[in-house]
Amino acid sequence: MVARAFAELVMVVHFAVLVFLVVGGFLAWKWPRALYFHLAMATWGLLVVLFPIACPLTWLENELRAAAGRPELASGFIDTYIDGVLYPDSAARLVQVLVAVVVLASWTGYYLKRRGEQTCNSVQFTNQR
């Protein structure tokens, strides 16, 4: 019973990590330190897409499911809970590209926002002299 609850908790955390992967760059606009975590998450996401790397959260969920006497995920987390559930399997590549575009747009916005703030600060400093 406890192992099953922890397996479900890991599943919820996994969903939260994926949401952060998509919107974390936008959160960095408000909280700049979030960009470091988002950069790490985006790098991990890219590696998982490009190479057959096992996700530690999927491994942990499978271990907890096995401890609870439940079957392990037949395939990865995304294949089980997202592909074919939130969008058709045939759209998986398109969704990956859209996520990459959203992430890059958030980083571009972050850069432009920070650059604009630095410009404003330097103008204010110059005007104070």
Side-chain angles (χ1 to χ4, degrees):
M1 177 97 147
V2 173
R4 182 176 179 180
F6 279 123
E8 291 177 7
L9 177 63
V10 170
M11 177 188 62
V12 170
V13 168
H14 212 155
F15 272 112
V17 165
L18 289 176
V19 169
F20 181 72
L21 172 64
V22 177
V23 301
F26 295 107
L27 294 174
W29 294 14
K30 176 80 172 151
W31 299 289
R33 289 186 182 183
L35 187 65
Y36 299 113
F37 297 106
H38 190 254
L39 189 60
M41 181 59 53
T43 301
W44 177 256
L46 183 63
L47 289 173
V48 167
V49 168
L50 295 177
F51 303 103
I53 299 172
C55 177
L57 289 173
T58 302
W59 172 84
L60 181 58
E61 182 180 350
N62 279 334
E63 289 294 313
L64 292 166
R65 289 171 67 89
R70 311 272 299 157
E72 293 184 2
L73 301 178
S75 54
F77 178 86
I78 290 175
D79 293 336
T80 301
Y81 296 116
I82 298 177
D83 284 347
V85 177
L86 298 180
Y87 52 81
D89 286 329
S90 61
R93 184 62 64 191
L94 175 62
V95 170
Q96 290 173 346
V97 169
L98 289 174
V99 167
V101 167
V102 169
V103 168
L104 291 174
S106 72
W107 289 351
T108 302
Y110 174 85
Y111 169 76
L112 294 173
K113 184 176 187 311
R114 291 293 166 213
R115 191 178 88 186
E117 288 173 359
Q118 289 174 353
T119 302
C120 288
N121 289 339
S122 65
V123 168
Q124 287 174 354
F125 178 74
T126 307
N127 289 339
Q128 290 177 354
R129 293 180 126 185

